[in-house]
Amino acid sequence: MIDVQGVSHVYPDGTRALDRVDLAIPDGDRLAIIGQNGSGKSTLVRHFNGLLRPTEGRVVLDGRPTDGLRVAALAARVGLAFQDPDRQIFAGRVRTEVAFGPRNLGLRDSALETAVTGALASVGLSEQAEHNPYDLGFSSRKLLALASILAMGTPTVVLDEPTTGQDLRGVERIQAIVAELAAAGRTVIAISHDMRFVAESFARVVVMRAGQVILDGTPAEVFAEASWEALASTYVEPPLAARIGARLGLGSTPTDGALVDALVRRSA
């Protein structure tokens, strides 16, 4: 469990990126964090694996305050795939890149090979295993960064804007990975501006504005019409299905079938 207790973070230039955030993330949670750029989303998740430390308050991971744990120890519990894959990729071969994390966690021989092969298969990069990462396009490098985290087998996986640069097939692949991680009981946390991806893939949504949590609930609750004013205050629009669903009386997370049936009835 990740327990954020009154956490504030002030950068050296004086920017107060987090302001007394309280947030409990139980094991196995499927959580999306949304909000405008600069609302504190990335700053918050970087506290989970020790890349940033609180200016005030504390983060508790599995009952232990993270301020007493090294980044290496936290990395074995929380894997973070950055928004910009080029800040994460450094090896000269795709396979070497994916192997780096699990090797540092102690995997060797067949266990390491299994972890790497499985991660590459999950993201669809098996055939590129011997390529130089920088011969891949941006969307494939995003998937490579994700594979590097999957191979580590961390109980918690954090994805920063995972669908950026992905086509429909890439988004569907990431949705399938999120579902597989959740089915395995692992905690999945994602930052995203893709509201359809959020609504379809996550059981809980946290909305941030100016370093604070302003909404926390299920997609049906967060994208309900009653929350639209709060969403607008952090420049978030509910997904199209939520807006149509509200107008048709179908709620904020209607199924595709329900939408089609309602539109057919209205046009009859």
Side-chain angles (χ1 to χ4, degrees):
M1 178 172 181
I2 300 172
D3 194 8
V4 180
Q5 302 175 354
V7 167
S8 297
H9 187 86
V10 181
Y11 284 104
D13 66 359
T15 300
R16 191 174 185 85
L18 296 177
D19 187 11
R20 298 185 297 273
V21 173
D22 292 306
L23 185 66
I25 306 173
D27 286 344
D29 208 0
R30 220 170 353 126
L31 169 67
I33 304 175
I34 65 176
Q36 70 188 105
N37 290 336
S39 60
K41 306 181 300 296
S42 293
T43 298
L44 176 61
V45 300
R46 289 178 186 180
H47 282 74
F48 298 166
N49 68 348
L51 291 180
L52 293 175
R53 304 288 181 165
T55 305
E56 305 166 17
R58 67 177 187 169
V59 177
V60 179
L61 178 64
D62 295 334
R64 297 184 63 186
T66 59
D67 56 7
L69 299 173
R70 298 173 56 204
V71 172
L74 292 170
R77 299 289 302 165
V78 180
L80 170 59
F82 291 172
Q83 179 177 356
D84 181 356
D86 296 341
R87 296 184 61 189
Q88 191 166 347
I89 294 170
F90 64 91
R93 279 197 318 161
V94 165
R95 181 179 297 279
T96 305
E97 180 70 36
V98 177
F100 178 80
R103 181 180 287 111
N104 279 349
L105 295 181
L107 269 65
R108 296 290 186 273
D109 303 325
S110 61
L112 178 61
E113 179 63 22
T114 297
V116 171
T117 300
L120 288 171
S122 292
V123 302
L125 291 178
S126 298
E127 294 183 3
Q128 289 78 34
E130 304 305 321
H131 290 194
N132 186 306
Y134 287 97
D135 288 336
L136 306 178
F138 178 81
S139 61
S140 292
R141 296 201 303 278
K142 287 279 289 185
L143 293 171
L144 172 57
L146 173 54
S148 299
I149 299 303
L150 296 178
M152 294 171 66
T154 55
T156 296
V157 176
V158 182
L159 311 174
D160 196 343
E161 298 291 356
T163 61
T164 299
Q166 300 297 325
D167 59 13
L168 179 60
R169 180 176 296 181
V171 173
E172 290 175 345
R173 185 182 296 279
I174 292 168
Q175 287 180 306
I177 290 170
V178 170
E180 290 169 4
L181 292 170
R186 294 162 73 179
T187 303
V188 188
I189 302 166
I191 294 170
S192 183
H193 283 89
D194 183 341
M195 294 304 104
R196 179 173 180 176
F197 169 68
V198 167
E200 292 179 351
S201 304
F202 294 88
R204 180 183 175 195
V205 183
V206 161
V207 184
M208 297 191 69
R209 180 185 64 209
Q212 297 181 325
V213 173
I214 62 169
L215 291 173
D216 183 353
T218 65
E221 294 167 339
V222 168
F223 294 131
E225 193 167 6
S227 300
W228 288 3
E229 184 175 351
L231 291 174
S233 73
T234 190
Y235 297 94
V236 170
E237 288 191 3
L240 179 61
R243 286 178 276 149
I244 296 175
R247 296 294 178 259
L248 298 179
L250 300 175
S252 55
T253 54
T255 64
D256 290 345
L259 282 173
V260 171
D261 289 345
L263 291 171
V264 168
R265 288 195 301 270
R266 286 174 67 91
S267 63

